């Protein structure tokens, strides 16, 4: 897998497809935080997504004035978005437009995307057994399609940020295993899908496609674009029952899980 080639190709495709605009003057200090992603960024699973979702907690800690509303913190995340629908469904175009808007001064962008590329398989070909050949083929297909989509997303957003006045941070998140520590047969299967056969995030080992899990791709493609990778996977190690609603069949974080994710983003933002 040649991540540099993917990045170059994605940059050329997105440059033609998504107009970035040119900022002619420094915008006022509004819209400082821009959140992008799927249901995790929306705050699903929190008792009050607007207060206890990881994006809201992060904004409160990094931008204490964020409680004033969208003039300071904008959340464009869409529940159910995959890396493909993030592009085709409009979230990417909306993100670029928000960054280019002269009425905003985006200082930090947060992103989680890709989890639904795999999650949908749990109610499809992987619903009976993760070892089923159809399930394994579907996982391979999802992981093969993801790099191009993810590189296109990062290319577009980093280019938009480069055109925007001021200094910005771009933070992207890996995914946790919602079955971690449950003893479910899906636990090792999800680990393999997230970390590859070698069980770790290792960009030097991606010459073997078997080692290219979703988190490897997020971290390694992210590194190629110079973004900050927030690795939440180890924070949920053997703690899924305490940090998610998995005991009730829901993979989303509870308030404690959203807090753990928010703390990881805050720590990364302060580095």
């Amino acid at each position: 897998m040649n991540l540099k080639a993917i990045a170059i190709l994605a940059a050329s495709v997105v440059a033609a497809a998504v107009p970035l605009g040119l900022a002619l003057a420094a915008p006022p200090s509004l819209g400082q935080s821009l959140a992008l992603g799927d249901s995790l960024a929306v705050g699903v699973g929190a008792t009050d997504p607007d207060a206890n979702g990881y994006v809201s907690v992060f904004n409160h800690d990094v931008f204490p004035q964020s409680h004033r509303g969208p003039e300071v913190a904008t959340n464009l995340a869409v529940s159910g978005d995959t890396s493909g629908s993030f592009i085709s469904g409009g979230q990417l175009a909306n993100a670029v437009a928000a960054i280019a808007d002269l009425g905003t001064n985006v200082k930090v962008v947060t992103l989680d995307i890709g989890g639904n590329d795999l999650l949908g398989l749990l109610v499809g070909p992987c619903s009976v057994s993760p070892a089923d050949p159809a399930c394994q083929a579907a996982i391979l297909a999802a992981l093969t399609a993801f790099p191009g989509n993810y590189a296109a997303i990062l290319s577009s957003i980093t280019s938009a940020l480069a055109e925007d006045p001021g200094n910005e941070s771009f933070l992207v998140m890996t995914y946790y295993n919602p079955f971690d520590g449950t003893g479910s047969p899906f636990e090792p299967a999800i680990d393999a899908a997230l970390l590859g056969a070698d069980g770790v995030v290792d960009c030097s080992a991606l010459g073997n496609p078997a080692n290219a899990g979703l988190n490897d791709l997020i971290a390694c493609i992210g590194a190629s674009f110079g973004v900050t990778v927030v690795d939440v996977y180890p924070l949920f190690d053997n703690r899924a029952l305490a940090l998610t609603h998995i005991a009730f069949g829901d993979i989303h974080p509870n308030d404690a899980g959203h807090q753990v994710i928010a703390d990881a983003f805050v720590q990364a933002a302060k580095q």
Side-chain angles (χ1 to χ4, degrees):
M1 176 176 299
N2 191 326
L3 298 180
K4 183 176 180 180
I6 291 172
I8 293 172
L9 176 61
S12 63
V13 171
V14 174
V18 183
L20 299 180
L22 179 63
L24 299 179
S29 297
L30 300 176
Q32 297 175 50
S33 172
L34 177 62
L36 308 170
D38 53 31
S39 58
L40 298 184
V42 171
V44 174
T47 52
D48 180 355
D50 291 334
N52 304 117
Y54 88 77
V55 168
S56 299
V57 176
F58 169 80
N59 286 332
H60 183 271
D61 287 352
V62 176
F63 300 105
Q65 70 272 42
S66 64
H67 65 276
R68 297 175 186 170
E71 4 4 289
V72 172
T74 301
N75 192 335
L76 298 179
V78 178
S79 290
D81 253 4
T82 64
S83 64
S85 64
F86 186 98
I87 298 170
S88 64
Q91 190 175 168
L92 178 59
N94 290 336
V96 170
I99 294 168
D101 187 343
L102 294 180
T104 67
N105 183 18
V106 173
K107 294 183 178 179
V108 58
V109 177
T110 61
L111 170 68
D112 69 74
I113 200 69
N116 288 320
D117 293 42
L118 297 176
L119 182 62
L121 305 181
L122 292 179
V123 293
C126 300
S127 59
V128 176
S129 170
D132 187 278
C135 173
Q136 292 301 308
I139 291 173
L140 178 60
L143 293 176
T144 300
F146 177 77
N149 290 337
Y150 198 62
I153 292 167
L154 297 193
S155 176
S156 184
I157 295 173
T158 54
S159 294
L161 290 172
E163 295 284 343
D164 193 52
N167 297 319
E168 301 93 1
S169 298
F170 187 8
L171 311 171
V172 303
M173 190 186 92
T174 65
Y175 283 85
Y176 59 88
N177 185 340
F179 297 96
D180 214 327
T182 65
S184 164
F186 286 99
E187 182 179 350
I190 296 296
D191 272 343
L194 292 177
L195 300 176
D198 59 357
V200 295
V201 171
D202 183 358
C203 299
S204 67
L206 296 188
N208 179 357
N211 293 329
L214 181 66
N215 285 349
D216 290 282
L217 298 172
I218 290 172
C220 301
I221 296 172
S224 74
F225 280 93
V227 306
T228 299
V229 178
V230 181
D231 188 11
V232 305
Y233 173 87
L235 305 179
F236 283 69
D237 186 29
N238 290 318
R239 302 175 68 195
L241 289 171
L243 298 179
T244 75
H245 297 285
I246 197 61
F248 307 99
D250 182 356
I251 59 89
H252 292 96
N254 54 26
D255 285 354
H258 275 285
Q259 182 70 57
V260 166
I261 295 172
D263 288 344
F265 269 94
V266 170
Q267 183 177 1
K270 292 181 177 179
Q271 290 178 351

